[in-house]
Amino acid sequence: MQTQTQTPRILASAALVLLLAACGTEGGTGSGPGSDTVGPDLPVAGTHWTIGAVTVDGRRSAAPDGARVAFGADGRARGNSGCNTLDAAVSVKGDTLTVSEKSITEIGCPEDLARFESELFKAFTGPLKGKQRGEALTLTSPDGRNGLELTAEADLPLRGTAWKIDGLLTGDTASSLPAGSGDKARFVVGANGRVTGNLGCNNFSATARVEGRTLTIEGPAATTRMMCTGPQMQLETKLYELLDGPLTYRLDHRSLTLTNASGEGLSATAADGKAAGN
């Protein structure tokens, strides 16, 4: 009889324990009052965005061509205002992205670009609430008066993109182009099986094929015969030698590297507004 009278009490106690455990689990999801937990972090690390517009004090300004921002896995945001380049520290907690330690280059800009740049610098600061819908991401200040409108950028393809050569590679060492060589050096790998462009002085053309991660340029390339400055000719000679034979290529969104079997090569970035028609 003693065992029978205690059984209901034991069952009741077990039910109470289970109920308390269930309540504790619900509170751990962040849905209960006063919970310190947050939802999943904004998935922005490693993403690239075109800036469509910024809003400051409720005033919206459309962005110029070339305005973009990328969020690295290293906790940095790097971008361009359409004139100068921007760098900042970013941290993400839940749907809040906090921007700090900002810096920007100081190239002189036309008045309209300078005005937008100033607005961007004001909007892209402090804690910003993020909201992503498909390819669109908005970042808005807590009071709703400042914000950015972003659209996801797709990675650029090897073929059909105009690549502007911006550096030379030797093993793990990257160096800038020779001083005074200008910014004419660029090329396009066309869908028609040819690579065309400029070596820093003369235009060139050659047959090319892509297999896996290898771009093979069947040189030597045909070139025009203009005479240019010493630095331009120095760069042209180097590129003429590099752009001949098999090259391993690596794409990183808007950046490209080409290296030969000896570890020598070049780096290039996509030239805005430039596309191949060949």
Side-chain angles (χ1 to χ4, degrees), residues 34-71:
S35 173
D36 292 332
T37 60
V38 295
D41 290 345
L42 281 173
V44 296
T47 60
H48 302 77
W49 306 84
T50 296
I51 302 173
V54 300
T55 299
V56 173
D57 293 331
R59 182 180 64 255
R60 184 177 183 274
S61 301
D65 291 341
R68 58 174 51 90
V69 64
F71 298 101

Side-chain angles (χ1 to χ4, degrees), residues 64-117:
D65 291 341
R68 58 174 51 90
V69 64
F71 298 101
D74 59 353
R76 306 295 300 181
R78 299 174 178 87
N80 194 290
S81 68
C83 180
N84 280 287
T85 56
L86 172 73
D87 184 276
V90 294
S91 60
V92 178
K93 184 176 183 180
D95 65 351
T96 299
L97 183 149
T98 302
V99 183
S100 60
E101 301 176 18
K102 294 184 300 178
S103 64
I104 195 166
T105 55
E106 298 181 353
I107 299 172
C109 307
E111 184 177 350
D112 56 338
L113 296 183
R115 186 182 309 112
F116 174 81
E117 186 175 278

Side-chain angles (χ1 to χ4, degrees), residues 69-236:
V69 64
F71 298 101
D74 59 353
R76 306 295 300 181
R78 299 174 178 87
N80 194 290
S81 68
C83 180
N84 280 287
T85 56
L86 172 73
D87 184 276
V90 294
S91 60
V92 178
K93 184 176 183 180
D95 65 351
T96 299
L97 183 149
T98 302
V99 183
S100 60
E101 301 176 18
K102 294 184 300 178
S103 64
I104 195 166
T105 55
E106 298 181 353
I107 299 172
C109 307
E111 184 177 350
D112 56 338
L113 296 183
R115 186 182 309 112
F116 174 81
E117 186 175 278
S118 176
E119 299 289 87
L120 172 61
F121 210 69
K122 293 175 184 176
F124 193 56
T125 190
L128 300 168
K129 290 287 185 180
K131 188 172 185 180
Q132 186 171 357
R133 290 183 177 176
E135 300 298 302
L137 172 66
T138 57
L139 298 173
T140 309
S141 62
D143 61 8
R145 294 186 58 80
N146 299 340
L148 292 85
E149 301 169 27
L150 309 176
T151 303
E153 287 187 345
D155 290 346
L156 293 179
L158 173 66
R159 288 188 176 98
T161 300
W163 298 105
K164 181 179 178 181
I165 300 171
D166 57 14
L168 298 174
L169 308 174
T170 302
D172 295 331
T173 302
S175 58
S176 56
L177 300 183
S181 62
D183 60 357
K184 292 175 61 177
R186 63 189 65 210
F187 64 92
V188 174
V189 180
N192 62 353
R194 296 196 67 77
V195 56
T196 59
N198 188 283
L199 296 171
C201 176
N202 283 282
N203 295 330
F204 78 98
S205 176
T207 302
R209 52 189 168 85
V210 179
E211 298 172 318
R213 288 294 174 184
T214 300
L215 169 66
T216 300
I217 300 177
E218 299 175 349
T223 68
T224 54
R225 300 293 183 182
M226 295 191 306
M227 293 299 296
C228 300
T229 65
Q232 288 175 322
M233 294 303 295
Q234 177 187 351
L235 174 61
E236 177 162 303

Side-chain angles (χ1 to χ4, degrees), residues 1-40:
M1 293 296 295
Q2 183 176 5
T3 302
Q4 290 178 350
T5 57
Q6 288 182 349
T7 299
R9 295 178 183 177
I10 295 172
L11 293 175
S13 298
L16 179 59
V17 170
L18 290 173
L19 178 61
L20 291 174
C23 291
T25 302
E26 288 181 1
T29 64
S31 58
S35 173
D36 292 332
T37 60
V38 295

